[in-house]
Amino acid sequence: MKILLTTLCLLATPFAHAQSADWSGFFKSWEQGCRLDRAPFKAFEESLVELIRQKVAPQADVRPSIKLPAAYHVQAASKPTFHRVTIDDYTIDQIRLALKGTYYGLPVVHYSHTFHLETAGQVNYRLLLDTPLAQAQRVLAGKYQSRRFANPVLEGKTEILQAELLPVNINGKQQTILECVMTDG
């Protein structure tokens, strides 16, 4: 009997670790005007920016250097992907990290950090959800608040930061981007 219980426990252990993460708590700060400076998101974001600076080789396993709470670490890919696109003389760089799990019950595809060097370093933070926009709007209705602040880079001009849902069609599949967006105030 003891051997049977031990065997069952050992067999069940991988399933406990393979359980999908609920990323809702990790991205909770986005609900309060995209507060990107809150832990643990800030540490995660800084670790991705450091990978960009290091120009990490695509085959490198960088999981140990990506700062995520233990519950999320196994749900993130071990290797981010790097993308560079030039559109109308603007270079857009992006780092993407594939994720497993859900965000308020909606399937998550990846997190991305996009920056535009030619536009004063404009940065976009995005979470790609594997669901059509209408379903994301129903599930996430009323969750996101905007936040006003004086931007010292723009001589104190007031700006608004907020999360917004955007439709996207990837390879014929309707999905939704949750993006932190800076707008004029």
Side-chain angles (χ1 to χ4, degrees):
M1 182 67 160
K2 186 175 181 179
I3 293 172
L4 179 60
L5 287 175
T6 303
T7 304
L8 289 174
C9 287
L10 289 174
L11 290 174
T13 301
F15 296 110
H17 293 294
Q19 183 178 7
S20 292
D22 177 2
W23 291 89
S24 308
F26 185 79
F27 291 101
K28 188 80 172 163
S29 63
W30 288 23
E31 296 173 32
Q32 296 92 35
C34 281
R35 295 238 178 235
L36 306 170
D37 58 348
R38 305 283 196 229
F41 180 79
K42 182 178 180 181
F44 166 69
E45 180 59 30
E46 287 173 353
S47 69
L48 288 181
V49 170
E50 186 56 32
L51 291 175
I52 294 167
R53 283 191 200 118
Q54 294 172 4
K55 297 189 180 352
V56 174
Q59 68 277 9
D61 182 349
V62 296
R63 193 179 313 222
S65 61
I66 296 173
K67 305 283 190 267
L68 279 169
Y72 299 108
H73 220 275
V74 297
Q75 300 297 318
S78 63
K79 299 171 185 113
T81 58
F82 298 90
H83 307 268
R84 174 171 275 173
V85 177
T86 302
I87 302 171
D88 298 329
D89 296 326
Y90 290 101
T91 300
I92 301 169
D93 288 313
Q94 184 179 79
I95 183 171
R96 291 182 198 157
L97 186 64
L99 305 174
K100 295 177 188 170
T102 60
Y103 176 75
Y104 287 104
L106 303 172
V108 173
V109 177
H110 70 248
Y111 168 79
S112 65
H113 170 118
T114 305
F115 51 99
H116 316 267
L117 296 177
E118 289 87 357
T119 56
Q122 178 183 345
V123 178
N124 297 92
Y125 309 91
R126 295 181 173 128
L127 187 62
L128 180 60
L129 305 173
D130 193 15
T131 191
L133 179 64
Q135 182 178 359
Q137 288 172 325
R138 278 191 303 276
V139 172
L140 303 172
K143 288 218 179 296
Y144 306 105
Q145 300 171 6
S146 61
R147 170 174 63 98
R148 288 186 174 278
F149 68 99
N151 187 334
V153 174
L154 299 176
E155 299 174 359
K157 179 181 175 186
T158 300
E159 292 191 298
I160 298 173
L161 189 60
Q162 68 183 37
E164 131 180 333
L165 297 171
L166 305 168
V168 63
N169 184 319
I170 300 174
N171 298 324
K173 186 174 185 178
Q174 296 298 313
Q175 295 177 313
T176 301
I177 293 174
L178 171 59
E179 178 178 48
C180 283
V181 179
M182 180 98 53
T183 59
D184 290 333

Short mmCIF file of all heavy atoms in Angstrom, two decimals, residues 97-162:
data_model
loop_
_atom_site.label_atom_id
_atom_site.label_comp_id
_atom_site.label_asym_id
_atom_site.label_seq_id
_atom_site.Cartn_x
_atom_site.Cartn_y
_atom_site.Cartn_z
N LEU A 97 8.44 37.06 -25.10
CA LEU A 97 8.63 35.90 -24.25
C LEU A 97 7.32 35.11 -24.25
O LEU A 97 6.29 35.61 -23.79
CB LEU A 97 9.00 36.32 -22.83
CG LEU A 97 9.36 35.17 -21.89
CD1 LEU A 97 10.62 34.44 -22.37
CD2 LEU A 97 9.56 35.69 -20.48
N ALA A 98 7.36 33.91 -24.81
CA ALA A 98 6.17 33.05 -24.83
C ALA A 98 5.79 32.68 -23.41
O ALA A 98 6.65 32.42 -22.57
CB ALA A 98 6.44 31.80 -25.66
N LEU A 99 4.49 32.69 -23.14
CA LEU A 99 3.97 32.36 -21.82
C LEU A 99 2.90 31.28 -21.95
O LEU A 99 2.21 31.20 -22.97
CB LEU A 99 3.34 33.60 -21.16
CG LEU A 99 4.20 34.85 -21.05
CD1 LEU A 99 3.37 36.02 -20.51
CD2 LEU A 99 5.41 34.59 -20.16
N LYS A 100 2.74 30.50 -20.90
CA LYS A 100 1.65 29.54 -20.82
C LYS A 100 0.76 29.97 -19.68
O LYS A 100 1.23 30.53 -18.69
CB LYS A 100 2.19 28.14 -20.51
CG LYS A 100 3.05 27.56 -21.58
CD LYS A 100 3.58 26.21 -21.15
CE LYS A 100 4.61 25.71 -22.15
NZ LYS A 100 5.30 24.53 -21.64
N GLY A 101 -0.52 29.74 -19.82
CA GLY A 101 -1.44 30.05 -18.75
C GLY A 101 -2.56 30.96 -19.22
O GLY A 101 -2.86 31.04 -20.41
N THR A 102 -3.15 31.65 -18.26
CA THR A 102 -4.32 32.49 -18.55
C THR A 102 -4.19 33.85 -17.88
O THR A 102 -3.39 34.04 -16.96
CB THR A 102 -5.62 31.82 -18.05
OG1 THR A 102 -5.51 31.64 -16.64
CG2 THR A 102 -5.87 30.50 -18.74
N TYR A 103 -5.00 34.76 -18.35
CA TYR A 103 -5.14 36.09 -17.76
C TYR A 103 -6.64 36.30 -17.61
O TYR A 103 -7.35 36.41 -18.61
CB TYR A 103 -4.51 37.14 -18.68
CG TYR A 103 -4.68 38.56 -18.21
CD1 TYR A 103 -3.91 39.06 -17.16
CD2 TYR A 103 -5.59 39.41 -18.82
CE1 TYR A 103 -4.06 40.36 -16.74
CE2 TYR A 103 -5.74 40.71 -18.40
CZ TYR A 103 -4.98 41.18 -17.35
OH TYR A 103 -5.13 42.48 -16.93
N TYR A 104 -7.13 36.27 -16.38
CA TYR A 104 -8.57 36.30 -16.10
C TYR A 104 -9.32 35.25 -16.92
O TYR A 104 -10.38 35.51 -17.48
CB TYR A 104 -9.15 37.69 -16.31
CG TYR A 104 -8.74 38.65 -15.23
CD1 TYR A 104 -7.76 39.61 -15.46
CD2 TYR A 104 -9.31 38.58 -13.95
CE1 TYR A 104 -7.36 40.48 -14.45
CE2 TYR A 104 -8.90 39.45 -12.95
CZ TYR A 104 -7.94 40.39 -13.20
OH TYR A 104 -7.54 41.24 -12.20
N GLY A 105 -8.74 34.08 -17.03
CA GLY A 105 -9.36 32.97 -17.73
C GLY A 105 -9.14 32.96 -19.24
O GLY A 105 -9.52 32.01 -19.91
N LEU A 106 -8.53 34.00 -19.78
CA LEU A 106 -8.27 34.07 -21.22
C LEU A 106 -6.87 33.53 -21.50
O LEU A 106 -5.92 33.89 -20.79
CB LEU A 106 -8.37 35.52 -21.70
CG LEU A 106 -9.71 36.21 -21.44
CD1 LEU A 106 -9.63 37.69 -21.77
CD2 LEU A 106 -10.82 35.54 -22.24
N PRO A 107 -6.69 32.69 -22.51
CA PRO A 107 -5.37 32.11 -22.78
C PRO A 107 -4.35 33.18 -23.19
O PRO A 107 -4.64 34.07 -23.98
CB PRO A 107 -5.61 31.15 -23.94
CG PRO A 107 -7.06 31.16 -24.21
CD PRO A 107 -7.72 32.24 -23.43
N VAL A 108 -3.15 33.05 -22.64
CA VAL A 108 -2.05 33.97 -22.91
C VAL A 108 -1.11 33.34 -23.94
O VAL A 108 -0.83 32.15 -23.88
CB VAL A 108 -1.27 34.26 -21.61
CG1 VAL A 108 -0.03 35.07 -21.86
CG2 VAL A 108 -2.17 34.94 -20.59
N VAL A 109 -0.62 34.15 -24.88
CA VAL A 109 0.32 33.68 -25.90
C VAL A 109 1.74 34.14 -25.55
O VAL A 109 2.64 33.34 -25.42
CB VAL A 109 -0.06 34.19 -27.30
CG1 VAL A 109 0.96 33.75 -28.35
CG2 VAL A 109 -1.45 33.73 -27.68
N HIS A 110 1.92 35.47 -25.42
CA HIS A 110 3.24 35.98 -25.07
C HIS A 110 3.16 37.41 -24.53
O HIS A 110 2.15 38.10 -24.67
CB HIS A 110 4.22 35.93 -26.26
CG HIS A 110 3.90 36.89 -27.38
ND1 HIS A 110 3.47 36.47 -28.60
CD2 HIS A 110 3.98 38.23 -27.46
CE1 HIS A 110 3.30 37.51 -29.39
NE2 HIS A 110 3.59 38.61 -28.72
N TYR A 111 4.26 37.80 -23.91
CA TYR A 111 4.47 39.19 -23.46
C TYR A 111 5.50 39.78 -24.42
O TYR A 111 6.44 39.10 -24.84
CB TYR A 111 5.03 39.22 -22.03
CG TYR A 111 5.52 40.59 -21.65
CD1 TYR A 111 4.61 41.57 -21.27
CD2 TYR A 111 6.85 40.92 -21.73
CE1 TYR A 111 5.05 42.86 -20.96
CE2 TYR A 111 7.29 42.20 -21.42
CZ TYR A 111 6.39 43.16 -21.05
OH TYR A 111 6.81 44.43 -20.76
N SER A 112 5.34 41.05 -24.77
CA SER A 112 6.35 41.70 -25.62
C SER A 112 6.66 43.10 -25.12
O SER A 112 5.81 43.79 -24.55
CB SER A 112 5.90 41.74 -27.08
OG SER A 112 4.77 42.57 -27.23
N HIS A 113 7.89 43.47 -25.33
CA HIS A 113 8.39 44.80 -25.03
C HIS A 113 8.89 45.34 -26.36
O HIS A 113 9.81 44.79 -26.96
CB HIS A 113 9.55 44.68 -24.02
CG HIS A 113 10.30 45.94 -23.79
ND1 HIS A 113 10.36 46.54 -22.56
CD2 HIS A 113 11.04 46.72 -24.61
CE1 HIS A 113 11.11 47.62 -22.64
NE2 HIS A 113 11.53 47.75 -23.87
N THR A 114 8.25 46.39 -26.85
CA THR A 114 8.59 46.98 -28.14
C THR A 114 9.10 48.39 -27.91
O THR A 114 8.53 49.14 -27.13
CB THR A 114 7.35 47.05 -29.06
OG1 THR A 114 6.80 45.74 -29.17
CG2 THR A 114 7.71 47.57 -30.44
N PHE A 115 10.18 48.75 -28.60
CA PHE A 115 10.68 50.12 -28.46
C PHE A 115 11.10 50.66 -29.81
O PHE A 115 11.51 49.92 -30.70
CB PHE A 115 11.81 50.19 -27.43
CG PHE A 115 12.91 49.20 -27.66
CD1 PHE A 115 14.08 49.56 -28.29
CD2 PHE A 115 12.76 47.89 -27.23
CE1 PHE A 115 15.09 48.64 -28.49
CE2 PHE A 115 13.77 46.96 -27.42
CZ PHE A 115 14.93 47.33 -28.06
N HIS A 116 10.95 51.97 -29.95
CA HIS A 116 11.21 52.68 -31.20
C HIS A 116 12.31 53.70 -30.90
O HIS A 116 12.05 54.73 -30.28
CB HIS A 116 9.97 53.41 -31.69
CG HIS A 116 8.71 52.59 -31.59
ND1 HIS A 116 8.25 51.84 -32.63
CD2 HIS A 116 7.85 52.39 -30.57
CE1 HIS A 116 7.14 51.21 -32.25
NE2 HIS A 116 6.88 51.53 -31.01
N LEU A 117 13.51 53.42 -31.34
CA LEU A 117 14.62 54.32 -31.04
C LEU A 117 14.46 55.70 -31.67
O LEU A 117 14.82 56.70 -31.08
CB LEU A 117 15.94 53.69 -31.49
CG LEU A 117 16.32 52.40 -30.77
CD1 LEU A 117 17.59 51.81 -31.36
CD2 LEU A 117 16.49 52.66 -29.28
N GLU A 118 13.89 55.76 -32.87
CA GLU A 118 13.77 57.04 -33.57
C GLU A 118 12.68 57.94 -32.99
O GLU A 118 12.61 59.11 -33.31
CB GLU A 118 13.49 56.82 -35.06
CG GLU A 118 14.68 56.27 -35.82
CD GLU A 118 14.76 54.75 -35.78
OE1 GLU A 118 13.93 54.13 -35.10
OE2 GLU A 118 15.66 54.20 -36.42
N THR A 119 11.82 57.41 -32.16
CA THR A 119 10.74 58.23 -31.59
C THR A 119 10.98 58.45 -30.09
O THR A 119 10.13 58.17 -29.26
CB THR A 119 9.37 57.57 -31.82
OG1 THR A 119 9.41 56.25 -31.26
CG2 THR A 119 9.02 57.51 -33.29
N ALA A 120 12.17 58.92 -29.78
CA ALA A 120 12.54 59.25 -28.40
C ALA A 120 12.40 58.06 -27.46
O ALA A 120 12.05 58.20 -26.31
CB ALA A 120 11.73 60.45 -27.90
N GLY A 121 12.64 56.88 -28.01
CA GLY A 121 12.61 55.69 -27.16
C GLY A 121 11.22 55.27 -26.72
O GLY A 121 11.05 54.66 -25.68
N GLN A 122 10.19 55.57 -27.52
CA GLN A 122 8.83 55.15 -27.17
C GLN A 122 8.80 53.65 -26.93
O GLN A 122 9.37 52.88 -27.70
CB GLN A 122 7.86 55.51 -28.27
CG GLN A 122 6.44 55.06 -27.98
CD GLN A 122 5.50 55.37 -29.14
OE1 GLN A 122 5.82 56.13 -30.02
NE2 GLN A 122 4.34 54.76 -29.11
N VAL A 123 8.17 53.24 -25.85
CA VAL A 123 8.13 51.84 -25.47
C VAL A 123 6.68 51.38 -25.36
O VAL A 123 5.83 52.12 -24.88
CB VAL A 123 8.85 51.62 -24.12
CG1 VAL A 123 8.77 50.17 -23.69
CG2 VAL A 123 10.30 52.08 -24.20
N ASN A 124 6.40 50.17 -25.83
CA ASN A 124 5.08 49.57 -25.68
C ASN A 124 5.24 48.25 -24.93
O ASN A 124 6.16 47.49 -25.19
CB ASN A 124 4.44 49.29 -27.04
CG ASN A 124 4.21 50.56 -27.83
OD1 ASN A 124 5.06 50.96 -28.60
ND2 ASN A 124 3.08 51.19 -27.64
N TYR A 125 4.32 48.01 -24.02
CA TYR A 125 4.29 46.79 -23.24
C TYR A 125 2.99 46.08 -23.63
O TYR A 125 1.92 46.65 -23.52
CB TYR A 125 4.29 47.09 -21.75
CG TYR A 125 5.40 48.03 -21.35
CD1 TYR A 125 5.20 49.41 -21.33
CD2 TYR A 125 6.65 47.54 -21.01
CE1 TYR A 125 6.22 50.27 -20.97
CE2 TYR A 125 7.67 48.40 -20.64
CZ TYR A 125 7.46 49.76 -20.63
OH TYR A 125 8.47 50.61 -20.28
N ARG A 126 3.11 44.82 -24.07
CA ARG A 126 1.93 44.13 -24.59
C ARG A 126 1.84 42.71 -24.07
O ARG A 126 2.85 42.03 -23.91
CB ARG A 126 2.00 44.08 -26.12
CG ARG A 126 1.94 45.42 -26.78
CD ARG A 126 1.98 45.26 -28.28
NE ARG A 126 1.75 46.54 -28.91
CZ ARG A 126 2.54 47.06 -29.84
NH1 ARG A 126 3.60 46.40 -30.25
NH2 ARG A 126 2.27 48.22 -30.36
N LEU A 127 0.61 42.29 -23.89
CA LEU A 127 0.30 40.90 -23.56
C LEU A 127 -0.65 40.42 -24.65
O LEU A 127 -1.71 41.00 -24.86
CB LEU A 127 -0.38 40.84 -22.18
CG LEU A 127 -0.63 39.47 -21.61
CD1 LEU A 127 0.70 38.73 -21.38
CD2 LEU A 127 -1.38 39.60 -20.29
N LEU A 128 -0.25 39.38 -25.39
CA LEU A 128 -1.08 38.84 -26.46
C LEU A 128 -1.97 37.75 -25.88
O LEU A 128 -1.49 36.80 -25.26
CB LEU A 128 -0.22 38.27 -27.59
CG LEU A 128 -0.99 37.66 -28.77
CD1 LEU A 128 -1.90 38.70 -29.45
CD2 LEU A 128 -0.02 37.06 -29.78
N LEU A 129 -3.28 37.93 -26.07
CA LEU A 129 -4.28 36.99 -25.57
C LEU A 129 -4.86 36.21 -26.75
O LEU A 129 -5.19 36.80 -27.79
CB LEU A 129 -5.40 37.74 -24.85
CG LEU A 129 -4.96 38.65 -23.71
CD1 LEU A 129 -6.13 39.48 -23.20
CD2 LEU A 129 -4.32 37.85 -22.60
N ASP A 130 -4.99 34.92 -26.60
CA ASP A 130 -5.49 34.06 -27.67
C ASP A 130 -7.01 33.98 -27.62
O ASP A 130 -7.59 32.93 -27.36
CB ASP A 130 -4.87 32.66 -27.54
CG ASP A 130 -5.09 31.83 -28.79
OD1 ASP A 130 -5.46 32.39 -29.83
OD2 ASP A 130 -4.89 30.60 -28.71
N THR A 131 -7.62 35.13 -27.87
CA THR A 131 -9.09 35.23 -27.85
C THR A 131 -9.50 36.42 -28.70
O THR A 131 -8.76 37.41 -28.79
CB THR A 131 -9.60 35.38 -26.40
OG1 THR A 131 -11.01 35.22 -26.39
CG2 THR A 131 -9.25 36.71 -25.80
N PRO A 132 -10.67 36.37 -29.34
CA PRO A 132 -11.16 37.52 -30.10
C PRO A 132 -11.43 38.72 -29.19
O PRO A 132 -11.70 38.57 -27.99
CB PRO A 132 -12.46 37.02 -30.74
CG PRO A 132 -12.40 35.53 -30.65
CD PRO A 132 -11.56 35.21 -29.46
N LEU A 133 -11.36 39.91 -29.75
CA LEU A 133 -11.54 41.15 -29.00
C LEU A 133 -12.85 41.18 -28.23
O LEU A 133 -12.88 41.57 -27.06
CB LEU A 133 -11.45 42.35 -29.94
CG LEU A 133 -11.64 43.72 -29.29
CD1 LEU A 133 -10.53 44.00 -28.28
CD2 LEU A 133 -11.69 44.81 -30.34
N ALA A 134 -13.95 40.78 -28.85
CA ALA A 134 -15.27 40.86 -28.19
C ALA A 134 -15.29 40.05 -26.89
O ALA A 134 -15.82 40.50 -25.87
CB ALA A 134 -16.37 40.38 -29.12
N GLN A 135 -14.69 38.87 -26.90
CA GLN A 135 -14.65 38.05 -25.69
C GLN A 135 -13.75 38.70 -24.63
O GLN A 135 -14.10 38.74 -23.45
CB GLN A 135 -14.16 36.64 -25.99
CG GLN A 135 -14.15 35.76 -24.75
CD GLN A 135 -13.71 34.34 -25.03
OE1 GLN A 135 -13.42 33.98 -26.17
NE2 GLN A 135 -13.67 33.53 -24.00
N ALA A 136 -12.61 39.23 -25.04
CA ALA A 136 -11.72 39.91 -24.10
C ALA A 136 -12.42 41.12 -23.49
O ALA A 136 -12.30 41.36 -22.28
CB ALA A 136 -10.43 40.33 -24.80
N GLN A 137 -13.16 41.87 -24.29
CA GLN A 137 -13.89 43.03 -23.77
C GLN A 137 -14.94 42.62 -22.74
O GLN A 137 -15.10 43.29 -21.72
CB GLN A 137 -14.55 43.80 -24.92
CG GLN A 137 -13.56 44.55 -25.76
CD GLN A 137 -14.18 45.16 -27.01
OE1 GLN A 137 -15.09 44.59 -27.63
NE2 GLN A 137 -13.67 46.31 -27.41
N ARG A 138 -15.64 41.53 -22.98
CA ARG A 138 -16.64 41.05 -22.01
C ARG A 138 -15.98 40.66 -20.69
O ARG A 138 -16.44 41.03 -19.61
CB ARG A 138 -17.40 39.85 -22.57
CG ARG A 138 -18.54 40.19 -23.50
CD ARG A 138 -19.42 38.98 -23.80
NE ARG A 138 -18.72 37.85 -24.39
CZ ARG A 138 -18.43 37.71 -25.68
NH1 ARG A 138 -18.79 38.64 -26.54
NH2 ARG A 138 -17.81 36.64 -26.13
N VAL A 139 -14.91 39.90 -20.76
CA VAL A 139 -14.24 39.40 -19.55
C VAL A 139 -13.54 40.52 -18.78
O VAL A 139 -13.55 40.55 -17.55
CB VAL A 139 -13.23 38.28 -19.92
CG1 VAL A 139 -12.38 37.88 -18.72
CG2 VAL A 139 -13.97 37.07 -20.48
N LEU A 140 -12.95 41.47 -19.51
CA LEU A 140 -12.11 42.49 -18.87
C LEU A 140 -12.79 43.85 -18.73
O LEU A 140 -12.14 44.82 -18.34
CB LEU A 140 -10.80 42.63 -19.66
CG LEU A 140 -10.00 41.32 -19.81
CD1 LEU A 140 -8.83 41.51 -20.77
CD2 LEU A 140 -9.53 40.83 -18.46
N ALA A 141 -14.08 43.92 -18.98
CA ALA A 141 -14.81 45.19 -18.90
C ALA A 141 -14.64 45.85 -17.54
O ALA A 141 -14.80 45.22 -16.50
CB ALA A 141 -16.29 44.95 -19.19
N GLY A 142 -14.29 47.12 -17.57
CA GLY A 142 -14.20 47.93 -16.34
C GLY A 142 -12.96 47.68 -15.50
O GLY A 142 -12.85 48.22 -14.40
N LYS A 143 -12.02 46.90 -15.97
CA LYS A 143 -10.83 46.58 -15.16
C LYS A 143 -9.76 47.67 -15.18
O LYS A 143 -8.98 47.78 -14.25
CB LYS A 143 -10.20 45.27 -15.63
CG LYS A 143 -11.00 44.07 -15.28
CD LYS A 143 -10.11 42.93 -14.88
CE LYS A 143 -10.89 41.72 -14.48
NZ LYS A 143 -11.71 41.89 -13.31
N TYR A 144 -9.67 48.45 -16.23
CA TYR A 144 -8.52 49.34 -16.42
C TYR A 144 -8.86 50.79 -16.18
O TYR A 144 -9.79 51.33 -16.75
CB TYR A 144 -7.95 49.14 -17.82
CG TYR A 144 -7.63 47.69 -18.06
CD1 TYR A 144 -8.44 46.91 -18.88
CD2 TYR A 144 -6.58 47.08 -17.40
CE1 TYR A 144 -8.19 45.57 -19.06
CE2 TYR A 144 -6.32 45.74 -17.57
CZ TYR A 144 -7.12 44.99 -18.40
OH TYR A 144 -6.88 43.65 -18.56
N GLN A 145 -8.07 51.40 -15.31
CA GLN A 145 -8.21 52.83 -15.01
C GLN A 145 -7.05 53.57 -15.66
O GLN A 145 -5.96 53.03 -15.82
CB GLN A 145 -8.16 53.05 -13.50
CG GLN A 145 -9.26 52.34 -12.76
CD GLN A 145 -9.04 52.42 -11.25
OE1 GLN A 145 -8.15 53.09 -10.76
NE2 GLN A 145 -9.88 51.71 -10.52
N SER A 146 -7.29 54.83 -16.02
CA SER A 146 -6.21 55.64 -16.57
C SER A 146 -5.55 56.40 -15.41
O SER A 146 -6.11 56.52 -14.32
CB SER A 146 -6.75 56.61 -17.61
OG SER A 146 -7.70 57.47 -17.04
N ARG A 147 -4.35 56.89 -15.68
CA ARG A 147 -3.60 57.61 -14.66
C ARG A 147 -2.92 58.80 -15.32
O ARG A 147 -2.27 58.67 -16.35
CB ARG A 147 -2.56 56.66 -14.05
CG ARG A 147 -1.55 57.26 -13.16
CD ARG A 147 -0.68 56.20 -12.51
NE ARG A 147 0.12 55.41 -13.41
CZ ARG A 147 1.41 55.64 -13.67
NH1 ARG A 147 2.03 56.63 -13.09
NH2 ARG A 147 2.08 54.85 -14.49
N ARG A 148 -3.11 59.98 -14.72
CA ARG A 148 -2.46 61.20 -15.21
C ARG A 148 -1.17 61.42 -14.44
O ARG A 148 -1.10 61.17 -13.26
CB ARG A 148 -3.34 62.42 -14.99
CG ARG A 148 -4.54 62.50 -15.89
CD ARG A 148 -5.26 63.84 -15.69
NE ARG A 148 -6.31 63.99 -16.65
CZ ARG A 148 -6.13 64.41 -17.90
NH1 ARG A 148 -4.94 64.74 -18.31
NH2 ARG A 148 -7.15 64.50 -18.73
N PHE A 149 -0.16 61.91 -15.17
CA PHE A 149 1.08 62.26 -14.50
C PHE A 149 1.83 63.29 -15.33
O PHE A 149 1.62 63.40 -16.53
CB PHE A 149 1.95 61.03 -14.24
CG PHE A 149 2.50 60.40 -15.48
CD1 PHE A 149 3.80 60.65 -15.88
CD2 PHE A 149 1.73 59.54 -16.25
CE1 PHE A 149 4.31 60.07 -17.03
CE2 PHE A 149 2.23 58.95 -17.38
CZ PHE A 149 3.53 59.22 -17.77
N ALA A 150 2.68 64.05 -14.68
CA ALA A 150 3.51 65.05 -15.35
C ALA A 150 4.78 64.36 -15.83
O ALA A 150 5.52 63.79 -15.03
CB ALA A 150 3.83 66.20 -14.42
N ASN A 151 5.04 64.42 -17.11
CA ASN A 151 6.21 63.78 -17.69
C ASN A 151 7.37 64.77 -17.70
O ASN A 151 7.35 65.75 -18.44
CB ASN A 151 5.90 63.31 -19.11
CG ASN A 151 7.01 62.49 -19.70
OD1 ASN A 151 8.17 62.60 -19.33
ND2 ASN A 151 6.64 61.64 -20.65
N PRO A 152 8.40 64.54 -16.87
CA PRO A 152 9.52 65.48 -16.80
C PRO A 152 10.30 65.58 -18.11
O PRO A 152 10.87 66.63 -18.41
CB PRO A 152 10.40 64.92 -15.68
CG PRO A 152 9.99 63.52 -15.50
CD PRO A 152 8.58 63.41 -15.98
N VAL A 153 10.30 64.53 -18.92
CA VAL A 153 11.00 64.56 -20.20
C VAL A 153 10.34 65.56 -21.14
O VAL A 153 11.00 66.21 -21.93
CB VAL A 153 11.02 63.14 -20.83
CG1 VAL A 153 11.61 63.17 -22.22
CG2 VAL A 153 11.78 62.17 -19.93
N LEU A 154 9.03 65.69 -21.02
CA LEU A 154 8.29 66.62 -21.88
C LEU A 154 7.98 67.92 -21.14
O LEU A 154 6.92 68.51 -21.32
CB LEU A 154 6.99 65.95 -22.36
CG LEU A 154 7.18 64.70 -23.19
CD1 LEU A 154 5.83 64.07 -23.53
CD2 LEU A 154 7.96 64.99 -24.46
N GLU A 155 8.92 68.35 -20.31
CA GLU A 155 8.82 69.60 -19.55
C GLU A 155 7.55 69.66 -18.72
O GLU A 155 6.87 70.68 -18.67
CB GLU A 155 8.94 70.79 -20.49
CG GLU A 155 10.26 70.82 -21.22
CD GLU A 155 10.37 71.90 -22.27
OE1 GLU A 155 9.39 72.66 -22.48
OE2 GLU A 155 11.42 71.97 -22.90
N GLY A 156 7.22 68.55 -18.08
CA GLY A 156 6.09 68.52 -17.16
C GLY A 156 4.73 68.40 -17.80
O GLY A 156 3.71 68.48 -17.11
N LYS A 157 4.67 68.21 -19.10
CA LYS A 157 3.38 68.06 -19.78
C LYS A 157 2.63 66.87 -19.18
O LYS A 157 3.20 65.83 -18.92
CB LYS A 157 3.61 67.83 -21.27
CG LYS A 157 2.35 67.64 -22.06
CD LYS A 157 2.66 67.39 -23.52
CE LYS A 157 1.39 67.09 -24.26
NZ LYS A 157 1.65 66.69 -25.64
N THR A 158 1.34 67.05 -18.96
CA THR A 158 0.53 65.98 -18.39
C THR A 158 0.21 64.94 -19.47
O THR A 158 -0.19 65.28 -20.58
CB THR A 158 -0.79 66.53 -17.82
OG1 THR A 158 -0.47 67.47 -16.80
CG2 THR A 158 -1.64 65.43 -17.22
N GLU A 159 0.40 63.67 -19.10
CA GLU A 159 0.07 62.58 -20.00
C GLU A 159 -0.83 61.59 -19.28
O GLU A 159 -0.97 61.63 -18.06
CB GLU A 159 1.34 61.88 -20.48
CG GLU A 159 2.18 62.77 -21.38
CD GLU A 159 3.29 61.99 -22.04
OE1 GLU A 159 4.16 61.46 -21.34
OE2 GLU A 159 3.26 61.92 -23.29
N ILE A 160 -1.42 60.71 -20.06
CA ILE A 160 -2.30 59.67 -19.51
C ILE A 160 -1.71 58.33 -19.88
O ILE A 160 -1.32 58.10 -21.03
CB ILE A 160 -3.73 59.79 -20.08
CG1 ILE A 160 -4.34 61.13 -19.69
CG2 ILE A 160 -4.60 58.63 -19.59
CD1 ILE A 160 -5.68 61.41 -20.33
N LEU A 161 -1.64 57.44 -18.91
CA LEU A 161 -1.17 56.08 -19.15
C LEU A 161 -2.31 55.14 -18.78
O LEU A 161 -2.93 55.29 -17.72
CB LEU A 161 0.06 55.79 -18.28
CG LEU A 161 0.81 54.50 -18.53
CD1 LEU A 161 1.33 54.44 -19.97
CD2 LEU A 161 1.98 54.37 -17.57
N GLN A 162 -2.60 54.19 -19.66
CA GLN A 162 -3.67 53.23 -19.38
C GLN A 162 -3.50 51.98 -20.23
O GLN A 162 -2.81 52.00 -21.24
CB GLN A 162 -5.03 53.85 -19.65
CG GLN A 162 -5.30 54.14 -21.11
CD GLN A 162 -6.64 54.81 -21.31
OE1 GLN A 162 -7.08 55.62 -20.51
NE2 GLN A 162 -7.31 54.46 -22.39
#
